[in-house]
Amino acid sequence: MSPDTVFEQHTHLFDARGVARRFRHSAIFGAIGALRSGETMRFVNDHDPLPLIAQLRERLGEHLTVTYRQRDADAVVIDFGIVGLPED
């Protein structure tokens, strides 16, 4: 799957490959923290971020959904969804 695919409504692209490694986790936490219930962040990376996923699950629990769209050695695409949060 190409990361420049036409997106579904309420899906926002975050391409981590363009973010300096030392800023990635902070930027990702900020981006996911800005999502509202029912929104998704399509995350593109050059490796499978298993420690990051564990941290996000610890922070968000049942409100986080993780759906792999592509899982290759050189490219990983994951949809991080937010569900069940109260409306602002």
Side-chain angles (χ1 to χ4, degrees):
M1 167 178 287
S2 172
D4 58 358
T5 308
V6 175
F7 295 104
E8 299 86 19
Q9 188 174 7
H10 304 295
T11 299
H12 310 283
L13 177 65
F14 186 101
D15 191 338
R17 299 171 299 180
V19 179
R21 287 193 184 270
R22 65 186 177 145
F23 299 125
R24 281 188 188 176
H25 281 211
S26 295
I28 294 162
F29 291 137
I32 287 182
L35 294 177
R36 295 185 177 160
S37 211
E39 292 186 317
T40 298
M41 181 177 81
R42 180 151 300 157
F43 176 78
V44 181
N45 203 14
D46 56 5
H47 65 278
D48 197 351
L50 296 175
L52 171 68
I53 292 170
Q55 290 174 337
L56 290 170
R57 284 189 168 138
E58 185 176 307
R59 288 182 180 205
L60 296 166
E62 65 186 27
H63 300 293
L64 178 72
T65 63
V66 178
T67 306
Y68 281 86
R69 298 290 193 156
Q70 178 179 340
R71 199 173 192 180
D72 299 326
D74 59 342
V76 175
V77 180
I78 303 170
D79 281 353
F80 290 115
I82 300 297
V83 295
L85 289 179
E87 295 296 321
D88 292 334

